[in-house]
Amino acid sequence: FMYLHEQFSVAIASAAVETGDTDPVVSVLVFESLENIAVLCFAAMAVLALGLSALTVRSMVLRGKDELLRLKATKARPQVSIARGLKYHLFLSHIWGTGQDQVAVIKRQLLRMVPDLVIF
């Protein structure tokens, strides 16, 4: 760290001598003062915060949309029933070592579209 500080100090001093500026901040960083740098950083952080807020609101709005599966003819939700003697509507099979994540996503999406399903 000390080496970098020393090298930077030398660079500032040589740049100030070359340009004839008395303020080394202006000669090296092309800003008139440290306050201008702070304002630029603050503005950049504000833009990033607004962007993040907009993306969060968009995600909340899209998540709130009706994602239920509907019948084309009646626009009603499908009525699901289980045959006598059965416990599940669907059995999702997978390989334990590699398929758990993918099957969990499939199950979650199916339950979002048809909440009445019973899936093993």
Side-chain angles (χ1 to χ4, degrees):
F1 176 76
M2 294 303 292
Y3 173 76
L4 291 175
H5 182 276
E6 184 178 309
Q7 293 299 320
F8 188 68
S9 298
V10 169
I12 289 175
S14 64
V17 168
E18 288 175 10
T19 61
D21 290 334
T22 56
D23 189 5
V25 173
V26 174
S27 62
V28 174
L29 301 177
V30 196
F31 288 98
E32 292 182 17
S33 68
L34 292 176
E35 288 81 18
N36 290 348
I37 296 172
V39 168
L40 178 68
C41 291
F42 180 77
M45 286 189 292
V47 167
L48 290 173
L50 286 173
L52 180 61
S53 298
L55 287 174
T56 302
V57 169
R58 180 182 178 270
S59 175
M60 290 169 51
V61 168
L62 290 178
R63 187 163 295 213
K65 283 189 173 181
D66 190 17
E67 296 179 350
L68 297 175
L69 189 65
R70 304 249 179 219
L71 298 174
K72 188 174 182 178
T74 63
K75 306 287 188 220
R77 290 177 41 195
Q79 298 295 321
V80 292
S81 61
I82 298 177
R84 195 172 290 171
L86 298 178
K87 295 168 75 173
Y88 304 102
H89 293 108
L90 185 63
F91 175 78
L92 295 173
S93 179
H94 64 281
I95 297 173
W96 277 86
T98 59
Q100 289 178 324
D101 295 339
Q102 293 85 354
V103 171
V105 170
I106 293 169
K107 181 179 179 179
R108 189 174 23 236
Q109 292 299 327
L110 283 170
L111 289 173
R112 286 176 76 182
M113 292 188 296
V114 185
D116 299 331
L117 282 178
V118 181
I119 302 173
F120 181 83

